[in-house]
Amino acid sequence: MTTAPIPSPAGGPDITTQPAAALHDPGSVLARKPRPAPPGRVSASLTFAWRALLKIRRIPEQMSDVIAVPIVFTLLFTYLFGGALAGSPHGYLQFLLPGTLVMAVLLATMYTGVNLNADLGKGVYDRFRTLRIWQPAPIVGALVGDALRYLLASALVGGLGLLLGYRPGGGAPGMLLAIALVVVFALAFSWVFTLLGLVVRSSNAIMSLAVVVLFPLTLASNAFVDPHTMPGWLRAFVRVNPVTGLVTTTRAAMDGTVTPGQVGIVLAASAALTAIFAPLTMRAYRNHR
Amino acid sequence: MEAISDLAVHATGLTKRFGSTLALDGLDLAVPAGTVYGFLGPNGAGKTTTLRILATLLRPDAGTARVLGHDVVREPEAVRARISLTGQFACLDEDLTARENLRILARLVGNRGRAAHARAQELLDAFNLADVTDRPVKTWSGGMRRRLDLAASLITTPDLLFLDEPSTGLDPASRLQVWDTVQALADAGTTVLLTTQYLDEADRLASRIAVIDHGRVIAEGTPGELKAETGAGHLHIQLASPGQGEQAQAALAHLLDLPVHPDTEPGSLSVAGPAADQAALAVAHLECNGIPVAAFALARPSLDEVFLALTARIQDSSKEHAA
C-alpha cells in the first residue's frame, strides 16, 4: 500500500503536485489509547497561549506595529512638542514618558480585537468550539500572548526613554511597577476589544473604531500636557477619563511617589473593566456563528 | 421498534432562521448508531446548518436534537466530548505547520506532551503528510489541507464524526483516501454523518441517505430505495448505421412505451427512465431486427435527476407530504 515519495528535481518534495497515495495504513487513523480526560482550565488556556506564541514566531511581522508605534510616538512627541511645551525636549521627556508608555500599550490592545476577528473568520475556531474545553480558554490564552506584546511595547518605550535621558525618580522598582500596572490595565481593556472582535464584522471596522475610541481617550488625558490650560468642558472629560487615572498612577510610580490608593484605583478600574467586558465577550463568543 | 438509544442522532422539528431566510424548516432526522449516513442536497438546502446545530455550534430556533443521547442545547459539553467536526472549509491554523496544528489539538483533547507528539506523528504518517509536516499549512494544496483537517478530527477516535462535503474540491486520489478513512472509522464502530452533493459518494459510503431541500428532509432510505423510487436513468444507444435512426426510434418507442429522443449526433438516441431489464431487452430487440447497435449505455440517475424527481413529486403532492 505504501508509495515511495517521488523525488523532485528541485530537491525537497514538491508539495503542490505530490500525489495523495492511498492511506498508509487505514487502521492507524484510529486512536488505540482510550480517550484521555479533557484538559483543565489552566492547561487549555496555556495551550492557547502556546498557540499565540507559535503564531508570533511564524508571522513576526504582526509585531511591527507594536514595535514601530512606541518608538515613533516617543521620538515624535519628545522632539516635536518638547521645546514648545517644556522649554526643552529633555525636560518634557521627564513628564511625557509615562504618557507615551500608556499610549503605546493601549494602542497595542486594538490588535487583540483585530487578531481575534481574523481568527474567527478562518474556521479554526469552529473546531475549538466543538472541543470539550473550558470555553473562555481560546480567548484567555490569546490574551496571554497579547500580554507579551504589551510587555514588548513597554520595554521599548522604557528603553528608548532611558536612552534619550529619562531618569525615573522611583528607579528600577518604580519603572517595573509602572509597566506592571499598565500591562494589567491593558489586559483588562483588551476585553473591550475581544468583544468588538466578536461583534464587529471586519478587522478594518475594528481598526477604525479603535482609532476613534483610543486616540481621544489617550490624547484627551493628562498623558501629554497638564490639563489646567484646557477649557472647562475638556477638563471635565479629562477628569473622568480612566486613562487619566492610569497616567497619574504610572507617572507617580515612575517618579517614586506612588501611593497605595493610586495603585488601588488602577487595579479597581482593571477589575471593573474585566467584570463588565469579559462576561459580555463570552456571551458574544457563545452566540457567534 | 427501534429504541431511541440506538440512534446516534435524533432530531425533530429543527428550525433555524437567518434574518429573512428560513434555513431549516422543521427538519427531522434519525441516524442509526454505527452507520455511515449521507445527507444529500444542493447548496443552501440546510445541510451545513443542520451539522452546525448537531455539533453544538448553533442553537436551533425551535425543535430538539439529541446526539448520542445528549441534548445539544442543554448538554453541549457531553456532546462535544464524543464528536468531531470536519467543516466544509479546512478548520486549520494556516500560519502554523501541520505538526503544530495537530499538537495543539492533541493537547486540547487531553493528551499530555509526549502523547500529544506521538499521536500527531502517527496521524501525519497515516495520511502521508510526513514529508511536509514542518511547512506552514497555507503553502499546501487543497487536497492536503483536507486530509490534515480530517486527521485533526481523529486525534481521539470520535463516536460520531460530522463530515461536511468531505470530497468537494478534492483530487481523485485524495477523495479515495478520505473514503478509505471513513470506511475504517465505520468498521471500528464510529457513526459518520456526511453531507455531500454527489450521489456516487453517498452511494459508495452511506448505508442510508436523507435528501434535503429548503430545510426539510424530502426523502429518506437506502441508496437503492431512493434510486428505485426515482426510476432508472437514461438509456443511450449509438446505432451502427446512422441512417436507421427513425426506424430505431419507432421500434424503441413501441417497445418501451417511453418517449425516445434523437441526440445531436446522427444515429444516436436516448430514452429517459427505462428499467434495466427492459433496456436490455430493447437493445437485444434492435439487434435481432436488423438494426445493429454500435454502443449503448444505461446511465444511473445523477443527483440532479434524483433530486429533480423528488422535488417535482413534493410539489405534486405537497398536501399529502408530512415529513
Side-chain angles (χ1 to χ4, degrees):
Chain A
M1 286 291 281
T2 54
T3 44
I6 296 169
S8 116
D14 182 346
I15 59 174
T16 52
T17 58
Q18 191 192 36
L23 266 187
H24 195 274
D25 166 18
S28 63
V29 302
L30 303 170
R32 275 180 295 277
K33 292 194 182 117
R35 185 190 308 277
R41 293 179 172 205
V42 174
S43 168
S45 301
L46 285 178
T47 303
F48 281 102
W50 178 51
R51 168 175 181 265
L53 297 186
L54 286 174
K55 291 193 88 143
I56 291 175
R57 204 182 69 185
R58 292 283 163 196
I59 16 174
E61 58 270 27
Q62 62 171 317
M63 299 295 274
S64 58
D65 292 293
V66 175
I67 293 167
V69 167
I71 294 175
V72 168
F73 275 98
T74 307
L75 290 175
L76 199 66
F77 280 106
T78 304
Y79 294 102
L80 190 67
F81 300 133
L85 292 176
S88 76
H90 186 257
Y92 184 47
L93 188 61
Q94 284 303 121
F95 178 81
L96 168 77
L97 197 79
T100 41
L101 175 66
V102 168
M103 185 183 203
V105 177
L106 286 189
L107 283 181
T109 59
M110 81 166 97
Y111 296 103
T112 301
V114 171
N115 289 344
L116 179 64
N117 186 277
D119 241 9
L120 284 167
K122 281 181 191 149
V124 67
Y125 267 76
D126 277 356
R127 189 180 288 289
F128 296 152
R129 293 200 304 157
T130 56
L131 294 171
R132 188 195 189 185
I133 49 171
W134 185 49
Q135 288 297 293
I139 294 174
V140 172
L143 284 179
V144 174
D146 290 327
L148 206 78
R149 248 176 261 267
Y150 305 157
L151 280 172
L152 178 66
S154 306
L156 282 167
V157 173
L160 187 62
L162 292 174
L163 216 67
L164 296 177
Y166 176 79
R167 291 299 172 258
M175 204 69 175
L176 292 178
L177 176 65
I179 287 176
L181 287 171
V182 171
V183 171
V184 165
F185 184 87
L187 281 174
F189 196 74
S190 297
W191 288 105
V192 176
F193 279 104
T194 53
L195 179 62
L196 286 177
L198 284 159
V199 299
V200 174
R201 231 164 250 286
S202 75
S203 305
N204 282 340
I206 296 169
M207 289 277 235
S208 21
L209 210 61
V211 168
V212 168
V213 172
L214 284 176
F215 275 95
L217 269 181
T218 47
L219 290 174
S221 74
N222 59 349
F224 303 104
V225 291
D226 191 328
H228 78 264
T229 58
M230 298 175 187
W233 59 269
L234 186 55
R235 242 182 328 196
F237 176 79
V238 168
R239 204 174 305 123
V240 297
N241 183 353
V243 174
T244 303
L246 178 64
V247 171
T248 304
T249 305
T250 307
R251 194 169 277 148
M254 289 166 94
D255 290 345
T257 61
V258 72
T259 65
Q262 286 174 319
V263 174
I265 283 176
V266 170
L267 294 181
S270 305
L273 277 171
T274 308
I276 295 167
F277 288 100
L280 287 176
T281 295
M282 287 322 302
R283 208 181 70 166
Y285 181 63
R286 275 194 299 275
N287 296 332
H288 192 274
R289 66 176 176 89
Chain B
M1 192 188 125
E2 198 164 30
I4 296 296
S5 60
D6 293 337
L7 293 177
V9 175
H10 187 222
T12 47
L14 284 186
T15 304
K16 184 72 190 178
R17 186 179 282 281
F18 298 118
S20 60
T21 314
L22 189 59
L24 293 183
D25 181 16
L27 180 131
D28 298 325
L29 193 64
V31 176
T35 60
V36 179
Y37 195 94
F39 211 37
L40 199 67
N43 281 331
K47 303 187 299 282
T48 300
T49 303
T50 306
L51 241 55
R52 290 177 72 82
I53 288 174
L54 296 177
T56 76
L57 289 173
L58 269 185
R59 281 164 177 262
D61 295 336
T64 59
R66 297 183 78 78
V67 169
L68 303 162
H70 298 284
D71 187 284
V72 293
V73 175
R74 287 199 307 270
E75 311 161 82
E77 295 295 303
V79 173
R80 288 177 190 141
R82 296 175 63 191
I83 62 160
S84 272
L85 169 72
T86 303
Q88 202 168 341
F89 304 102
C91 300
L92 300 163
D93 252 320
E94 303 247 305
D95 304 313
L96 303 185
T97 68
R99 192 189 302 281
E100 288 164 347
N101 266 288
L102 290 184
R103 283 181 69 190
I104 287 170
L105 288 166
R107 278 162 180 258
L108 290 176
V109 297
N111 289 295
R112 301 284 159 194
R114 188 172 295 176
H117 190 84
R119 183 62 184 146
Q121 188 59 51
E122 194 174 41
L123 283 166
L124 289 165
D125 289 339
F127 283 89
N128 302 104
L129 295 170
D131 292 344
V132 290
T133 288
D134 294 313
R135 298 204 195 186
V137 172
K138 65 182 162 203
T139 64
W140 289 23
S141 69
M144 297 173 71
R145 290 182 200 204
R146 236 12 197 340
R147 277 145 62 202
L148 179 61
D149 203 26
L150 188 55
S153 298
L154 302 179
I155 288 170
T156 54
T157 306
D159 294 327
L160 172 59
L161 174 66
F162 296 108
L163 278 178
D164 200 0
E165 306 211 353
S167 62
T168 298
L170 284 196
D171 56 275
S174 291
R175 176 186 290 204
L176 275 179
Q177 197 177 37
V178 169
W179 288 358
D180 278 355
T181 308
V182 170
Q183 204 56 60
L185 285 166
D187 292 346
T190 294
T191 308
V192 181
L193 177 54
L194 64 93
T195 74
T196 180
Q197 303 187 53
Y198 307 114
L199 188 65
D200 65 331
E201 184 166 70
D203 214 5
R204 160 121 183 208
L205 292 174
S207 53
R208 293 190 78 79
I209 294 173
V211 182
I212 176 173
D213 185 37
H214 295 297
R216 303 175 72 102
V217 173
I218 57 171
E220 205 266 355
T222 65
E225 283 168 359
L226 287 179
K227 274 183 279 187
E229 269 186 69
T230 52
H234 282 79
L235 172 64
H236 298 280
I237 293 177
Q238 175 66 51
L239 301 175
S241 40
Q244 291 179 306
E246 280 180 28
Q247 195 188 343
Q249 190 175 350
L252 285 172
H254 177 72
L255 202 69
L256 294 171
D257 197 19
L258 287 167
V260 180
H261 304 287
D263 288 340
T264 43
E265 200 179 328
S268 177
L269 301 165
S270 72
V271 192
D277 52 351
Q278 282 182 305
L281 286 174
V283 173
H285 179 85
L286 292 182
E287 284 283 351
C288 296
N289 288 277
I291 310 175
V293 172
F296 71 95
L298 186 62
R300 290 197 300 182
S302 66
L303 170 61
D304 290 346
E305 286 161 332
V306 170
F307 187 75
L308 290 174
L310 285 168
T311 45
R313 202 174 54 200
I314 298 304
Q315 278 158 3
D316 288 347
S317 61
S318 54
K319 280 176 191 155
E320 299 157 43
H321 184 74

